Amino acid sequence: MSMAVGPAGDLPGTTALPSDVAPAVPAVADEHICVDVSRDGSGDEEQRRNQRRFLLGGQLQSNATSQVALVGTDFCPIESLDYELIENDVFKQDWRAQGRGHILRYFALKWALCFLVGALTAAAAFVANLGVENVAGAKFVVTSNRMFARRFESAFLVFLFSNLLLTMFATVLTVYVAPAAAGSGIPEVKAYLNGVDAPNIFCFKTLVVKVVGCIAAVSSSLHVGKAGPLVHTGACIASILGQGGSRKYRMTCKWLRHFKNDRDRRDLVTCGAGAGIAGAFRAPVAGVLFALETVSSRWRSALLWRAFFTTAVVAVVLRALIDICKRGRCGLFGKGGLIMFDVTSGYVNYHVIDLPPVITLAVFGGVLGSLYNFFLDKVLRLYNVINEKGRTYRLLLAATVSVCTSCCLFGLPWLAACKPCPADSREACPSIGRSGNFKKFQCPMHNYNDLASLFFNTNDDTIRNLYSNGTDHEFHITSILVFFIASYFLGIFSYGLALPSGLFVPVILTGAAYGRLVGMLIGSQSTLDHGLFAVLGSAALLGGSMRMTVSVCVVILELTNNLLMLPLVMLVLIISKTVADAFNANVYDLLVKLKGFPFLEGHAEPYMRQLSVSDVVTGPLQTFNGIEKVGRIVDTLKATDHNGFPVVDEPPFSDTPLLYGLVLRSHLLVLLRKKEFISSSTASASDASKHFSPEDFAKRGSGKHDRIEDIELTAEELEMFVDLHPFTNTSPYTVVETMSLAKALILFREVGLRHLLVLPKTSKRAPVVGILTRHDFMPEHVLGLHPYLFKSRWKKVRFGKTAFSNFF
């Protein structure tokens, strides 16, 4: 909201989600639990219409509020995080009392937590990979054995029902236990690091469901990956450790409860996100760069060093766990699925003649990547409409996609002709009941089905097959074309189901097939190996869909263990990203917008320079006196859901009305709960530090808040007063009302604010004229107030996206 009271407006492209407030829907606000509107019955018909239009991507008029975002598969209340340091008398007294030992313990704890985050994330990544390899391996062994015995119908039924069972297990677990665990979780992490909080996104049950559900979903042969869920897993581990564990499940440790503010927790979650990528690809440097380039909204050198330490711990722990697999203790596939694709480590020799095919691959990779985002956005909007109908529909949707996927994976290989095993093969041919390039499927002995070799493997092993060098003649062009088309669309239709799923690995897999296809079509004009074309194809599709350059480049290099590919990978990423940027936004920005998170971009739109902050604030403004009546505070907190209130001193405490500072809603609730009131409206002589400690005002875990309805006060207490001066932030960030909106946006985002007070230009007016919050910078809110800017804004800034949409 733009003021302490007043209506809220829309958020990007969907519905209004004022991030500085809790929801007005009672069923949501009671326990801050996400709501399935199809069965909850809460809210009026107007809100239900708004939510349906939100799911369909319709535009709502300014100030039509729903106050929720789509987290996982449910609507959840959202609010902003407090990254600003609170400077009031209580906290200043605490800072003065801290000695050298306290500071040393604080920094030691930061490093200790980074170590724990890295170690636990590495363990989670290892468990996820080991689980997928053994569960999927058992499924493929049974299916292959039945195919070898030529019991094709039985093999199909085993394959179909095992996939269906795994899919439904992951979906039921997600829908009924932790809906916030659905999807990759990267949009939620990205929004959190931008300053938006939602309940349950980092809780312990979300962590457990994310890991277990990811194993089941990836093992079910759906075209989903582990990378995104592992990013969310790392962020969950970091958040739980940062808040001292999970009190609900009695898994707490007192010495961990040291990070009492959102700023420290944000840094730890950033390290956890980088650790997730490091664990997914065994790529520590890429993990740091991913956190910097993709999910983090604010970065500094100290955070870079801690993130690097965290990912280094991941690499060391994974290396130690991999040694266990080398001794044959990892189950069915041994070293299979342990992420590293060390298949192009030979000498890579390329010439100028190789550049035209590589540039062609990059250009069309950018186009295919932007098309991937376009189709994914449309499919997710359709899925949201289906999911909104209730849990049963979510289960039916997952079952339908699973059955269709199983039919495609089992049926399409029958279209491929059998090929004789190569005489110089470095591995067994055909490979029966295990991973490999040569799946027998329905073929006679000493023959293999190249399309089945791609479909009847885990994603990791299929990518390894496509990346393999010296295999130019092992796959037929028709098989690669069928596999590319199937994986392209199966990846789109598999994402968005109510289960943990990632996009990174499916895009790598589809890109590898695309690169192989390009190598077969125009590779005769080049000296490059088809396996190298597959690697470059993955880079092209990643650059076209996700628009990451530096982190993807390092991911590819660390995956393939070949630094000689660096120039070609850089060229492909630059070209594919440039081409794709002409059409639409990157996939994670599209997902953040589709979910309705009020995300603040790192730049201001040009039209914002035509407006001042006074053009977007609305009234009236609600303030408190320095010594305020308890009853008025209670009435205000019950009547509004806002987080911050200006405190103004008036005579006799000052000659003229004077802004003293800003007091937070959470601090007011602490004052009311402790009931340290005074009987008159005169200044209190008692020392607030004797009655309150900084721990009383410590930030609770993500999505957890106190409620004014839980505080019981007598009629006599309501007539008493409370001195707000010791608890008021006396140095809030302020701007003058004539500052441009663009300049205020940069200040708001870079500092990580939740409130920005607007002061009058002249001293003859009230000491504060308004409060800017995240909502006031949302384009739909600004353009709703000033619609004359709409045409010029979209022509200048969004022409590419509009032209692309009109084309389709």
Side-chain angles (χ1 to χ4, degrees):
M1 290 202 171
S2 59
M3 309 293 287
V5 294
D10 299 341
L11 283 186
T14 54
T15 184
L17 304 169
S19 60
D20 62 314
V21 299
V25 183
V28 178
D30 282 347
E31 296 295 338
H32 289 271
I33 297 175
C34 302
V35 172
D36 182 347
V37 295
S38 63
R39 57 182 174 80
D40 183 79
S42 62
D44 55 18
E45 185 62 28
E46 180 63 25
Q47 183 190 19
R48 291 170 65 95
R49 285 198 299 268
N50 287 349
Q51 287 164 333
R52 289 192 181 95
R53 296 184 67 184
F54 166 81
L55 293 168
L56 290 168
Q59 298 285 342
L60 297 181
Q61 297 298 320
S62 180
N63 294 331
T65 174
S66 115
Q67 303 181 10
V68 291
L70 196 60
V71 179
T73 58
D74 283 348
F75 290 103
C76 294
I78 59 173
E79 65 173 47
S80 289
L81 295 168
D82 295 305
Y83 292 147
E84 181 184 1
L85 290 178
I86 304 299
E87 295 183 343
N88 58 32
D89 292 347
V90 175
F91 285 92
K92 287 179 181 178
Q93 180 65 28
D94 179 58
W95 294 337
R96 286 190 290 266
Q98 293 177 2
R100 181 181 179 86
H102 183 278
I103 296 175
L104 291 176
R105 286 195 300 271
Y106 172 72
F107 283 103
L109 181 60
K110 278 189 174 182
W111 290 100
L113 286 178
C114 288
F115 176 83
L116 287 175
V117 169
L120 293 176
T121 303
F126 182 78
V127 169
N129 279 277
L130 202 60
V132 170
E133 289 301 313
N134 282 278
V135 174
K139 177 187 67 178
F140 285 130
V141 164
V142 175
T143 304
S144 297
N145 288 340
R146 292 175 182 268
M147 292 293 292
F148 182 74
R150 309 194 70 81
R151 298 167 58 187
F152 301 132
E153 296 83 358
S154 174
F156 171 69
L157 292 177
V158 169
F159 185 71
L160 173 68
F161 285 105
S162 60
N163 287 340
L164 182 61
L165 179 63
L166 289 168
T167 300
M168 298 312 296
F169 173 74
T171 306
V172 169
L173 199 63
T174 303
V175 169
Y176 288 95
V177 179
S184 68
I186 292 182
E188 285 80 2
V189 174
K190 187 179 176 73
Y192 179 87
L193 296 178
N194 190 256
V196 181
D197 192 19
N200 299 327
I201 57 174
F202 295 141
C203 68
F204 182 73
K205 66 179 181 180
T206 300
L207 170 63
V208 174
V209 172
K210 201 74 178 185
V211 176
V212 177
C214 175
I215 294 173
V218 177
S219 302
S220 69
S221 292
L222 291 174
H223 268 53
V224 296
K226 304 182 291 290
L230 283 176
V231 171
H232 195 185
T233 297
C236 287
I237 293 172
S239 178
I240 291 172
L241 290 176
Q243 66 192 36
S246 176
R247 183 180 300 176
K248 179 178 179 180
Y249 298 98
R250 298 181 181 179
M251 300 174 62
T252 58
C253 186
K254 187 175 182 180
W255 67 273
L256 285 176
R257 301 176 198 169
H258 204 285
F259 288 1
K260 298 175 288 188
N261 58 79
D262 289 324
R263 181 185 297 245
D264 286 333
R265 291 176 185 171
R266 172 189 61 184
D267 291 349
L268 201 58
V269 169
T270 303
C271 294
I277 287 294
F281 298 111
R282 218 167 78 200
V285 179
V288 177
L289 295 175
F290 174 82
L292 168 63
E293 185 178 11
T294 305
V295 297
S296 179
S297 295
R298 189 173 182 272
W299 198 264
R300 62 186 190 280
S301 58
L303 180 58
L304 174 66
W305 179 220
R306 286 200 297 274
F308 184 74
F309 172 75
T310 306
T311 57
V313 172
V314 173
V316 172
V317 174
L318 272 181
R319 182 72 260 176
L321 294 173
I322 288 171
D323 289 339
I324 299 176
C325 289
K326 288 185 175 180
R327 295 194 291 267
R329 300 178 182 178
C330 286
L332 289 173
F333 280 177
K335 294 187 294 182
L338 287 171
I339 310 143
M340 179 68 77
F341 307 129
D342 190 3
V343 291
T344 59
S345 56
Y347 179 69
V348 178
N349 189 17
Y350 46 88
H351 307 86
V352 176
I353 193 176
D354 299 318
L355 293 182
V358 170
I359 293 174
T360 302
L361 178 145
V363 170
F364 284 98
V367 174
L368 288 172
S370 61
L371 278 172
Y372 193 92
N373 294 355
F374 176 81
F375 291 132
L376 182 65
D377 179 75
K378 300 303 180 184
V379 169
L380 289 180
R381 293 184 187 277
L382 174 63
Y383 281 6
N384 286 343
V385 175
I386 297 174
N387 290 335
E388 186 256 352
K389 296 180 182 296
R391 291 173 172 174
T392 302
Y393 284 85
R394 298 174 192 177
L395 299 177
L396 289 175
L397 176 61
T400 301
V401 174
S402 176
V403 170
C404 293
T405 300
S406 297
C407 292
C408 288
L409 299 186
F410 195 92
L412 290 177
W414 292 87
L415 303 177
C418 297
K419 298 186 66 174
C421 293
D424 57 347
S425 172
R426 290 171 292 184
E427 59 179 89
C429 180
S431 53
I432 303 172
R434 56 187 175 87
S435 60
N437 278 354
F438 308 105
K439 289 290 185 180
K440 181 178 178 294
F441 205 63
Q442 89 286 10
C443 297
M445 289 300 297
H446 306 297
N447 287 262
Y448 71 98
N449 187 314
D450 57 348
L451 192 53
S453 300
L454 299 174
F455 280 131
F456 269 70
N457 266 323
T458 62
N459 290 338
D460 291 347
D461 288 319
T462 301
I463 295 172
R464 185 176 289 106
N465 293 345
L466 291 170
Y467 280 5
S468 299
N469 57 359
T471 58
D472 289 3
H473 304 291
E474 291 183 4
F475 300 99
H476 194 274
I477 187 172
T478 304
S479 298
I480 293 294
L481 176 63
V482 171
F483 179 76
F484 165 66
I485 295 175
S487 62
Y488 188 90
F489 288 102
L490 286 177
I492 293 173
F493 285 102
S494 296
Y495 190 82
L497 301 179
L499 45 74
S501 56
L503 282 172
F504 218 110
V505 173
V507 172
I508 291 178
L509 176 62
T510 304
Y514 162 69
R516 275 267 178 176
L517 182 62
V518 172
M520 291 179 173
L521 292 174
I522 61 177
S524 59
Q525 309 300 320
S526 170
T527 62
L528 300 179
D529 185 87
H530 289 180
L532 182 55
F533 268 107
V535 175
L536 297 178
S538 294
L541 205 59
L542 285 170
S545 175
M546 301 185 178
R547 314 295 160 81
M548 297 181 291
T549 53
V550 181
S551 56
V552 167
C553 184
V554 177
V555 164
I556 295 296
L557 295 181
E558 291 187 289
L559 280 178
T560 58
N561 196 24
N562 197 330
L563 191 61
L564 295 174
M565 296 170 50
L566 178 61
L568 290 180
V569 174
M570 291 175 63
L571 178 65
V572 167
L573 285 170
I574 291 172
I575 294 175
S576 62
K577 181 184 184 303
T578 303
V579 171
D581 280 339
F583 297 109
N584 53 21
N586 71 73
V587 66
Y588 293 127
D589 285 347
L590 289 175
L591 291 175
V592 167
K593 181 177 180 179
L594 181 63
K595 287 174 171 291
F597 290 112
F599 190 85
L600 290 179
E601 299 290 348
H603 63 276
E605 299 284 4
Y607 66 87
M608 288 187 175
R609 300 197 177 277
Q610 305 177 36
L611 301 173
S612 64
V613 294
S614 60
D615 294 325
V616 297
V617 295
T618 56
L621 178 66
Q622 181 70 271
T623 64
F624 287 132
N625 295 319
I627 298 180
E628 188 59 80
K629 190 175 182 180
V630 174
R632 184 171 182 270
I633 295 177
V634 172
D635 292 340
T636 302
L637 295 182
K638 287 183 176 180
T640 66
D641 293 309
H642 316 312
N643 180 72
F645 299 90
V647 176
V648 177
D649 273 340
E650 297 184 355
F653 298 102
S654 62
D655 296 334
T656 59
L658 178 68
L659 175 65
Y660 186 80
L662 184 78
V663 64
L664 298 181
R665 180 188 188 91
S666 58
H667 293 182
L668 291 173
L669 292 174
V670 172
L671 298 180
L672 295 177
R673 190 175 64 248
K674 297 277 284 188
K675 299 183 179 181
E676 294 291 340
F677 306 142
I678 54 179
S679 57
S680 64
S681 59
T682 58
S684 175
S686 61
D687 186 1
S689 61
K690 295 181 179 179
H691 305 283
F692 297 90
S693 66
E695 285 72 20
D696 294 327
F697 301 96
K699 175 75 175 184
R700 298 183 64 185
S702 177
K704 299 175 182 177
H705 312 278
D706 293 323
R707 298 172 62 250
I708 182 62
E709 290 78 9
D710 296 332
I711 299 176
E712 297 181 359
L713 298 171
T714 65
E716 181 180 356
E717 290 171 335
L718 292 175
E719 296 297 322
M720 299 181 72
F721 296 85
V722 59
D723 189 354
L724 300 180
H725 291 101
F727 315 99
T728 300
N729 181 11
T730 57
S731 57
Y733 283 88
T734 61
V735 296
V736 69
E737 61 182 340
T738 55
M739 176 182 283
S740 70
L741 189 62
K743 193 174 181 179
L745 170 62
I746 299 302
L747 171 66
F748 193 94
R749 186 183 188 275
E750 292 301 318
V751 181
L753 300 178
R754 184 169 185 172
H755 307 95
L756 186 59
L757 300 185
V758 180
L759 305 184
K761 184 70 173 179
T762 63
S763 60
K764 297 181 180 180
R765 300 171 58 191
V768 57
V769 298
I771 302 179
L772 287 173
T773 65
R774 176 178 297 266
H775 167 66
D776 294 289
F777 299 103
M778 293 295 105
E780 281 67 27
H781 171 69
V782 177
L783 294 173
L785 295 175
H786 306 280
Y788 66 90
L789 296 170
F790 187 83
K791 291 185 178 180
S792 62
R793 177 247 184 181
W794 283 92
K795 285 182 179 179
K796 293 179 181 179
V797 183
R798 302 298 185 196
F799 173 77
K801 181 180 176 182
T802 303
F804 181 80
S805 301
N806 290 338
F807 174 77
F808 284 95

